[in-house]
């Protein structure tokens, strides 16, 4: 969907937008289901990158202490507990610039993935940059989805991060797709961007072929010690508008109401569910910051007549549309120059 369509959709009167998003949601999804996902930081802090929002960057003095990669048995204990609590997706995050085949840390991650994938949950990892070989090995080990966010527009990205580029992000996403993993790709609201940046980011995501399987919408958790610690809070209606527009632009993606839920009222969360959010991080911790407690979330789902989504046994990645060039397109790369995306 192009920018002008997204702009028109986003800026219509609030209730018209909600009605449109709700109709798209009902056409594409069982309307009462919400997927529960558990996050675990398997390698925390000490990251070389300078993402201005992140508690785990070694460039900033935050309260997060660097830790080494967790032992497999400890990860398995958390994964079993997540499954017992009703989560159908287990997402493991590592604070790295990226991973390389042949390193001990990558072998350890593959070993963890092989074991977690025996539990019957969707297995998602977010490990930073991947090349083609890394992506193929992760897929073979049992990863079903790779999370790599665009976070904001290409134009705004350089004010948020300087140690890697937007094209680096797109390249990793392409490697994950080519290896047959589902792509989980979303963004953060509250990085000092404008609505235009949010919609430009969505334009890029909606140009992916295949579409992302899931789109996490995070709002900034302001982290003391980072350059964004004092950023202005995101307005609730802007968040709901963004969720609704995402639901319309990428109808078959799970739209995940992600970081920032801790400071949302019950009413705001209800609006976000109505607008098309159908997945959440479940459990009282995200990677390093707070999330609503599981009991509180279950109570809210019950109050709203929503139910946790059953496990998805196929876990297949979305199929590409044969009429369009495969993407994401990385404009700097010659082999994609004829794709028509730019
Ligand atoms: N290092 C990997 C990467 O950057 O892709 C994976 C981990 S990173 C923490 C995953 C995502 O978490 C980021 O892309 C960002 O969208 C989100 N995130 C990180 N810190 C956040 C914060 N303070 N508030 C909201 N979202 C945040
Ligand atoms: C995503 O988009 N949000 C999650 C997951 N993907 C890895 C991470 C949110 C992190 C929030 C900040 C923290 O806990 O450090
Ligand atoms: Fe944080 Fe990931 Fe950026 Fe590292 S690459 S600073 S973990 S967001």
């Amino acid at each position: 969907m192009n920018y002008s369509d997204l702009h028109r959709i986003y800026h219509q009167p609030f209730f018209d937008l909600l009605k449109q998003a709700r109709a798209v949601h009902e056409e594409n999804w069982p309307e009462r289901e919400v997927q529960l996902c558990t996050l675990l930081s398997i390698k925390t802090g000490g990251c070389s990158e300078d993402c201005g929002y992140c508690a785990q960057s070694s460039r900033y003095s935050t309260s997060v202490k660097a830790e080494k990669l967790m032992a497999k048995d400890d990860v398995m204990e958390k994964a079993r507990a997540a499954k017992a609590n009703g989560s159908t997706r287990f997402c493991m995050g590592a604070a790295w610039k990226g991973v390389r085949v042949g390193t001990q840390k990558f072998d350890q991650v593959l070993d963890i993935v092989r074991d977690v994938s025996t539990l019957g949950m969707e297995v998602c990892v977010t490990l930073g940059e991947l090349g083609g070989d890394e992506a193929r090995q992760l897929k073979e080990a049992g990863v079903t989805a790779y999370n790599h966010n665009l976070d904001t527009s290409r134009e705004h990205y350089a004010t948020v991060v300087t140690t890697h580029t937007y094209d680096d992000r797109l390249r990793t996403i392409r490697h994950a797709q080519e290896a047959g993993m589902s792509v989980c790709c979303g963004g953060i609201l509250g990085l000092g961007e404008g609505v235009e940046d949010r919609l430009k980011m969505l334009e890029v995501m909606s140009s992916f072929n295949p579409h992302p399987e899931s789109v996490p919408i995070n709002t900034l958790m302001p982290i003391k010690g980072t350059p964004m610690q004092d950023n202005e809070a995101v307005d609730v209606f802007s968040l709901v508008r963004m969720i609704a527009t995402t639901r319309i632009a990428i109808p078959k993606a799970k739209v995940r109401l992600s970081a920032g839920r801790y400071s949302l009222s019950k009413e705001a969360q209800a609006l976000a569910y109505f607008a098309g959010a159908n997945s959440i991080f479940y459990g009282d911790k995200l990677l390093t910051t707070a999330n609503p407690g599981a009991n509180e979330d279950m109570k809210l789902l019950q109050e709203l007549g929503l139910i946790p989504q059953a496990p998805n046994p196929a876990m297949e990645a979305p199929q590409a549309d044969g009429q369009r060039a495969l993407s994401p397109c990385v404009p700097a790369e010659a082999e994609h120059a004829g794709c028509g995306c730019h």
Side-chain angles (χ1 to χ4, degrees), residues 17-315:
L17 173 58
L18 286 189
K19 274 196 285 186
Q20 187 183 353
R22 191 70 204 161
V24 172
H25 188 73
E26 287 175 8
E27 253 170 57
N28 288 280
W29 289 98
E31 54 182 299
R32 294 175 57 213
E33 291 185 3
V34 176
Q35 186 192 34
L36 306 182
C37 312
T38 295
L39 258 181
L40 178 67
S41 180
I42 58 170
K43 195 276 165 193
T44 303
C47 183
S48 63
E49 302 305 279
D50 69 354
C51 311
Y53 51 78
C54 189
Q56 305 196 68
S57 166
S58 62
R59 316 276 174 132
Y60 314 124
S61 171
T62 72
S63 61
V64 169
K65 276 204 316 316
E67 290 168 20
K68 57 182 195 345
L69 182 59
M70 281 176 73
K72 184 172 71 176
D73 289 350
D74 297 337
V75 177
M76 284 301 284
E77 196 181 315
K78 300 278 187 188
R80 285 197 194 94
K83 184 172 179 178
N85 270 340
S87 282
T88 61
R89 181 164 172 131
F90 192 64
C91 310
M92 294 172 274
W96 284 323
K97 178 182 177 65
V99 283
R100 285 282 162 267
V101 162
T103 58
Q104 200 203 349
K105 73 180 188 188
F106 189 59
D107 289 344
Q108 247 178 286
V109 169
L110 293 174
D111 193 34
I112 291 172
V113 167
R114 278 185 211 104
D115 277 23
V116 171
S117 69
T118 61
L119 299 178
M121 290 181 285
E122 294 172 21
V123 181
C124 177
V125 290
T126 180
L127 313 168
E129 269 174 41
L130 295 184
D133 289 345
E134 290 79 16
R136 282 184 288 277
Q137 292 197 12
L138 286 168
K139 163 77 183 167
E140 208 172 295
V143 167
T144 60
Y146 198 76
N147 167 242
H148 205 62
N149 291 342
L150 287 180
D151 284 329
T152 188
S153 68
R154 175 184 288 281
E155 292 78 359
H156 193 60
Y157 199 65
T159 70
V160 176
V161 188
T162 68
T163 47
H164 55 258
T165 66
Y166 213 65
D167 283 344
D168 292 333
R169 303 296 284 180
L170 291 172
R171 207 173 291 115
T172 290
I173 292 167
R174 202 163 81 205
H175 289 139
Q177 281 193 339
E178 285 171 354
M181 290 183 278
S182 295
V183 162
C184 168
C185 180
I188 315 182
L189 315 186
L191 305 180
E193 76 287 354
V195 170
E196 314 72 48
D197 294 295
R198 297 173 189 169
L199 297 179
K200 281 182 187 163
M201 171 183 81
L202 195 50
E203 182 185 32
V204 177
M205 286 168 195
S206 72
S207 78
F208 292 179
N209 184 22
H211 272 165
E213 168 267 349
S214 52
V215 180
I217 304 290
N218 298 278
T219 49
L220 179 72
M221 303 286 287
I223 308 288
K224 201 153 175 275
T226 64
M228 300 204 175
Q229 63 176 17
D230 296 321
N231 278 21
E232 203 178 308
V234 174
D235 168 65
V236 165
F237 295 142
S238 312
L239 167 64
V240 174
R241 278 183 184 274
M242 188 64 189
I243 285 174
T245 309
T246 305
R247 168 54 63 225
I248 295 163
I250 315 183
K252 295 202 182 306
K254 274 175 277 184
V255 177
R256 189 166 300 116
L257 178 58
S258 300
R261 223 159 45 75
Y262 188 70
S263 36
L264 282 187
S265 68
K266 290 202 302 186
E267 294 81 356
Q269 293 184 64
L271 269 180
Y273 288 131
F274 186 82
N278 61 347
S279 177
I280 54 171
F281 289 119
Y282 182 62
D284 58 10
K285 198 168 172 202
L286 293 167
L287 293 174
T288 68
T289 62
N291 200 39
N295 291 343
E296 217 179 301
D297 275 335
M298 213 34 91
K299 183 160 174 275
L300 179 58
L301 293 183
Q302 275 163 10
E303 282 176 321
L304 298 174
L306 300 174
I307 49 172
Q309 197 177 72
N312 158 18
M315 301 180 207

